[in-house]
Amino acid sequence: MFLRVALDVPLNTLFDYSWTGGAVAPGTRVLVPFGRRNAVGVVVGCSDSTEVPPARIKPVVRLFGETPPLPPGILRLLQFCSDYYQHPLGETLFNALPAAMRQSKPLSLPKPKFYCLTTNGRNVDPETLPSRAVVKRRLLQVLRQADSLSRSEIAALSPTAPTALKTFIELGWVEESQSDAPIPPFVKGGLGGISDGGGIPETAKSPPTPLLQRGEPHDPDLTSAQRLAVDSVSTTLDAFRPWLLHGVTGSGKTEVYLQVVAAVLQQGGQVLVLVPEINLTPQLEQRFRARFPAVRLVSLHSNLGNGERLKNYLAAQAGQAAIVLGTRLAVFTPLPRLKLIIVDEEHDASFKQQEGLRYSARDVAVIRAKQTGIPILLGSATPSLESWHNAQGGRYGLLNLPERAVSGAAPPAIRFIDTSRLKLDDGLSEPLLAALRERLARGEQSLVFINRRGYAPVLICGQCAWISACHRCSGRLVAHLRERRLRCHHCGHESRIPAACPGCGNPDLTLLGHGTQRVEETLERLLPQARILRVDRDSARRKDALPELLRKIHDGEVDVVVGTQLLAKGHDFKRLTLVGVVNADGALYSADFRAAERLFAQLMQVAGRAGRAELPGEVLIQTQFPGHPLFMDLQRHDFPSFAEAQLAERRQAGFPPWCYQALLRAEAADRDKVLTFLQRAAAEAAVLEHQVAVFDPTPAQMARIAGKERAHLLVQSASRAALQAFLKAWRARLEALDARTVRWMLDVDPLEF
Ligand SMILES: [Zn+2]
Ligand SMILES: [Zn+2]
């Protein structure tokens, strides 16, 4: 017998190996000889024959039996991705596996420690703990409900929960649990502690039924719109149906998720929840854990260690974890009882992988829901125009949450400061400063939003026009004054800020433009009594630095936050009532047709940080174009109007979603080689019969990064099927081209140019 095996190599082919054992399920991992080494492969099929000559066929070294094979549904999904994204099946498969399963050494499955209450601990009533000891009370409550918790589950409750755990162990209330796969509480309760001889409860046969009524915090009252959304989704759980949940910040999207999830859990199903960024997982994780304390929830993202990620992946595949919460890579997790997929912030560009398999996890999630025959819920305050278009055309069900769920909370008032008529003090206008002082006097917090880190985006010499350009990229070196460094944000190149102009020796160099560091410095000068905190990728660089920065804001140790988009998403601060936006104009007139969509989403998101519950919020945007239509829609919080205008523009220009696009990206050290390759590629396209528009080779927006010249060829069609058929035929011809000095790849549904 011969096994057809996919390997993690950039070749669009499978490899045959001989095998003398019995039948092997597709999806099984194997170790096979490849070149001079052994490599891990995944079996995709078995056959009695092979086209490989007998002398060249090699035997499989061994099967990896310690993990179950990838289930057929996941193999089908990955085959779809390989075809649709024009990427080799082997690399596509391996992209979906946790790192530990890609390695040829045998897996050592980590045995994480679990903790449970002792008899003494069980006798302690959480109500008898001091009411100040919120975390201890909570931990005790959750341990009573969940029976046993892993260390990471405990840490997810609160940053100080591990300390509380230590105290409980010292008091003799908590001990290490004996079983590493905790028994769902209903089984333990049901068995009543009576041994059935073998002592193994039959947990595997029936899916764990969550005890929703146990210890569940009281469901908040739903608005009628939330109720309609929950009912619409949860009454059609047995069929494919995509839903777009459009709700402004504070309209209670998460509550809709939680209640639909409750319905799925009650039926014994599993739920996959995708979020765009790792730093958005902890808060959502906490809300899910608080609502479903007796349900096993695992997270999957690239910040987890290899062991933990493997453990969580296998818990999902075994059906032990009922809720999987993760970033885009989690979309490929095997889930035998998957009944619902939720994609939160579905518009976010982070769902698209920008290297290797260039997939959109949002789009793959929709395909997965379709293949599985289950509903998918896409949520956003500012949906992608693609999803909005689908909802308008009736392909997606549209669920609107128009009002803020918290009664009395009005959306923030958005006003504009016309900077074309005002003198700015280092980038900040007097009206904005006055508003900041007002908040300071009232003891409220403000956020100054500027989406550019560093001090100043460029350093120039006024005498010889020298400019701080990166010698490896077509970008500028950004001045980071605190560290006295010039940094390239594209390739990471760094150098010292020169004492004098490298061109003419002029010691008087000028910093042009504004970044977070400069705004921070200006605010320190103009608001000397304010406590100012900067939150950007530099200040949050250290692992775990971000939670500490966020804690300072939550605990009121900060008056003014200077932040980038790192802060714009998802974080709610009770006392934050003012958001000032500086330097947002660039995106209004960008060459990128998606720039306006991104700006609108970003400003809506950052505006949503202002004002919660009892304190009304205000947003002040400094701009030279206060009358711009985008700003008018923003001021009215009118996404539908904005989307309609954008879709009309795109229709006229023939841009997505009115057409389907793909990019042939190419890069090489030599610019001519890149362009020559793309011209040959265009010539190959001309030979093919197709209904696809092939554009001329164009330099990329960043024409050079890290010494590589970059350019692309855009192809597009009004028909997705026509584009797919063309790409398949074109790719075969491209692979036959001799282009060893040029690296090229196809990017289907590209977001960046
Ligand atoms: Zn100079
Ligand atoms: Zn660079």
Side-chain angles (χ1 to χ4, degrees):
M1 185 162 66
F2 303 99
L3 300 185
R4 195 142 292 166
V5 174
L7 295 172
D8 192 8
V9 291
L11 296 171
N12 192 24
T13 179
L14 298 170
F15 302 85
D16 288 357
Y17 292 90
S18 62
W19 173 248
T20 49
V24 177
T28 301
R29 293 187 311 123
V30 289
L31 191 67
V32 292
F34 185 72
R36 290 181 186 177
R37 63 191 172 105
N38 284 339
V40 178
V42 174
V43 176
V44 294
C46 304
S47 170
D48 293 335
S49 61
T50 176
E51 287 167 14
V52 182
R56 289 186 53 205
I57 200 99
K58 290 178 184 165
V60 169
V61 178
R62 77 178 192 93
L63 302 187
F64 289 101
E66 62 269 52
T67 56
L70 286 172
I74 292 296
L75 289 175
R76 193 154 49 112
L77 183 68
L78 291 167
Q79 181 67 58
F80 169 86
C81 289
S82 167
D83 294 341
Y84 183 81
Y85 290 109
Q86 307 294 332
H87 200 71
L89 181 61
E91 285 191 342
T92 304
L93 276 165
F94 277 82
N95 174 78
L97 293 177
M101 289 172 71
R102 292 178 228 154
Q103 292 157 4
S104 56
K105 61 174 187 245
L107 294 178
S108 61
L109 297 180
K111 286 245 188 288
K113 285 185 182 166
F114 282 84
Y115 298 90
C116 62
L117 290 175
T118 59
T119 313
N120 279 345
R122 231 162 235 297
N123 288 333
V124 179
D125 181 353
E127 296 299 316
T128 59
L129 296 179
S131 56
R132 286 175 290 109
V134 184
V135 174
K136 283 187 185 160
R137 278 180 162 219
R138 179 95 192 98
L139 178 60
L140 197 56
Q141 274 161 357
V142 173
L143 278 167
R144 283 162 76 102
Q145 286 153 4
D147 282 9
S148 72
L149 291 172
S150 73
R151 188 167 273 281
S152 59
E153 285 166 339
I154 289 167
L157 289 174
S158 153
T160 57
T163 320
L165 176 74
K166 201 162 156 248
T167 314
F168 285 179
I169 294 171
E170 283 162 8
L171 288 167
W173 295 357
V174 168
E175 64 186 359
E176 259 182 50
S177 165
Q178 294 308 310
S179 83
D180 64 342
I183 301 153
F186 80 101
V187 176
K188 241 181 196 173
L191 292 174
I194 301 162
S195 168
D196 62 354
I200 301 163
E202 296 194 341
T203 49
K205 283 189 185 164
S206 54
T209 308
L211 297 185
L212 297 174
Q213 66 277 23
R214 243 172 90 181
E216 181 180 3
H218 178 67
D219 286 352
D221 290 333
L222 295 183
T223 64
S224 55
Q226 283 176 313
R227 172 54 57 204
L228 181 66
V230 170
D231 290 348
S232 301
V233 184
S234 44
T235 49
T236 54
L237 288 180
D238 293 318
F240 170 60
R241 181 82 174 116
W243 297 97
L244 179 61
L245 178 64
H246 171 229
V248 299
T249 310
S251 63
K253 282 196 299 292
T254 310
E255 187 54 39
V256 172
Y257 299 159
L258 288 166
Q259 302 225 2
V260 177
V261 167
V264 172
L265 295 177
Q266 229 133 16
Q267 297 187 8
Q270 288 176 296
V271 183
L272 173 63
V273 184
L274 299 177
V275 292
E277 281 178 39
I278 292 166
N279 66 52
L280 292 179
T281 53
Q283 26 177 353
L284 206 56
E285 196 174 331
Q286 276 183 26
R287 280 195 71 177
F288 273 84
R289 283 196 199 282
R291 183 63 61 86
F292 309 114
V295 171
R296 175 118 297 166
L297 178 156
V298 298
S299 58
L300 280 172
H301 51 74
S302 55
N303 255 16
L304 294 177
N306 283 353
E308 177 122 34
R309 190 170 152 203
L310 176 67
K311 182 199 75 175
N312 291 354
Y313 180 92
L314 293 175
Q317 181 167 11
Q320 290 161 347
I323 303 173
V324 173
L325 179 66
T327 51
R328 62 173 181 256
L329 55 87
V331 75
F332 299 112
T333 313
L335 294 154
R337 300 192 314 277
L338 182 62
K339 277 270 181 281
L340 172 72
I341 304 177
I342 294 171
V343 183
D344 192 25
E345 308 289 347
E346 67 89 29
H347 64 279
D348 200 293
S350 312
F351 282 120
K352 171 101 177 166
Q353 179 152 296
Q354 296 292 3
E355 71 215 351
L357 175 69
R358 291 174 171 251
Y359 69 104
S360 155
R362 190 230 10 239
D363 296 350
V364 172
V366 174
I367 296 295
R368 184 168 184 184
K370 190 174 181 183
Q371 290 185 345
T372 317
I374 56 167
I376 178 167
L377 185 53
L378 309 172
S380 177
T382 51
S384 66
L385 290 178
E386 283 80 2
S387 296
W388 187 254
H389 181 59
N390 279 330
Q392 297 301 314
R395 288 174 296 279
Y396 291 2
L398 181 61
L399 304 166
N400 269 310
L401 300 180
E403 66 221 77
R404 286 200 162 192
V406 185
S407 54
I414 298 178
R415 294 198 290 119
F416 301 95
I417 298 170
D418 186 349
T419 51
S420 63
R421 294 147 185 265
L422 287 173
K423 195 175 165 321
L424 300 182
D425 190 341
D426 235 337
L428 299 178
S429 67
E430 189 43 46
L432 178 56
L433 287 164
L436 288 168
R437 285 192 198 99
E438 209 179 285
R439 296 313 187 287
L440 199 55
R442 290 212 296 259
E444 295 169 9
Q445 290 176 321
S446 307
L447 164 66
V448 177
F449 176 77
I450 174 165
N451 210 9
R452 184 182 275 146
R453 62 199 173 88
Y455 187 88
V458 65
L459 183 68
I460 63 159
C461 168
Q463 284 185 7
C464 75
W466 172 87
I467 198 158
S468 60
C470 177
H471 66 286
R472 308 173 67 207
C473 303
S474 47
R476 310 262 183 254
L477 295 174
V478 176
H480 288 243
L481 213 53
R482 300 245 153 151
E483 302 90 335
R484 308 282 315 155
R485 309 290 285 173
L486 292 172
R487 281 195 188 130
C488 176
H489 290 186
H490 297 283
C491 73
H493 170 79
E494 284 197 23
S495 58
R496 280 188 61 84
I497 292 183
C501 173
C504 69
N506 169 19
D508 200 12
L509 293 170
T510 311
L511 289 156
L512 270 193
H514 296 86
T516 45
Q517 290 184 358
R518 191 170 201 170
V519 170
E520 179 190 21
E521 189 186 276
T522 307
L523 287 170
E524 277 166 356
R525 173 167 60 83
L526 297 172
L527 305 172
Q529 68 282 40
R531 296 164 298 170
I532 293 162
L533 181 74
R534 174 167 54 88
V535 180
D536 57 21
R537 279 230 316 272
D538 298 309
S539 70
R541 182 170 302 221
R542 204 165 38 78
K543 195 173 186 275
D544 300 330
L546 187 60
E548 174 59 13
L549 296 171
L550 295 174
R551 185 200 61 75
K552 280 186 176 167
I553 307 172
H554 279 296
D555 291 354
E557 292 171 20
V558 177
D559 300 311
V560 183
V561 187
V562 178
T564 58
Q565 60 174 352
L566 198 60
L567 209 62
K569 292 175 190 174
H571 303 286
D572 292 333
F573 306 110
K574 277 204 301 290
R575 297 201 60 79
L576 202 153
T577 59
L578 173 70
V579 171
V581 177
V582 296
N583 263 356
D585 283 353
L588 289 176
Y589 301 98
S590 164
D592 180 349
F593 70 88
R594 281 197 175 85
E597 181 183 358
R598 277 197 288 264
L599 177 66
F600 192 89
Q602 195 173 63
L603 292 180
M604 279 286 270
Q605 220 150 23
V606 74
R609 302 305 117 225
R612 310 296 283 181
E614 66 281 5
L615 295 172
E618 185 179 22
V619 180
L620 295 176
I621 298 177
Q622 290 192 170
T623 173
Q624 301 205 36
F625 311 98
H628 193 282
L630 184 150
F631 284 147
M632 296 297 99
D633 287 332
L634 187 76
Q635 190 167 40
R636 292 194 307 270
H637 302 266
D638 194 347
F639 175 80
S641 164
F642 168 75
E644 195 184 322
Q646 284 291 309
L647 283 170
E649 267 180 39
R650 296 225 191 142
R651 176 175 218 162
Q652 198 153 31
F655 285 138
W658 303 100
C659 76
Y660 302 95
Q661 297 183 323
L663 275 189
L664 171 62
R665 298 178 182 275
E667 60 179 51
D670 184 349
R671 194 178 131 86
D672 286 343
K673 285 209 171 101
V674 178
L675 291 176
T676 308
F677 169 77
L678 291 176
Q679 272 148 10
R680 287 170 67 199
E684 292 295 332
V687 178
L688 294 166
E689 212 169 289
H690 58 73
Q691 303 134 20
V692 168
V694 179
F695 292 83
D696 290 330
T698 316
Q701 256 169 31
M702 277 295 294
R704 189 156 53 103
I705 291 183
K708 288 275 192 294
E709 301 287 341
R710 310 159 75 240
H712 57 239
L713 199 63
L714 174 66
V715 296
Q716 69 178 41
S717 172
S719 154
R720 202 193 284 270
L723 180 64
Q724 281 289 315
F726 166 76
L727 289 174
K728 191 163 186 271
W730 194 32
R731 178 181 166 204
R733 300 186 80 93
L734 295 177
E735 277 165 356
L737 289 179
D738 178 29
R740 268 167 300 179
T741 53
V742 178
R743 208 170 86 89
W744 63 269
M745 64 232 76
L746 284 163
D747 186 353
V748 181
D749 305 328
L751 288 185
E752 287 173 7
F753 288 83

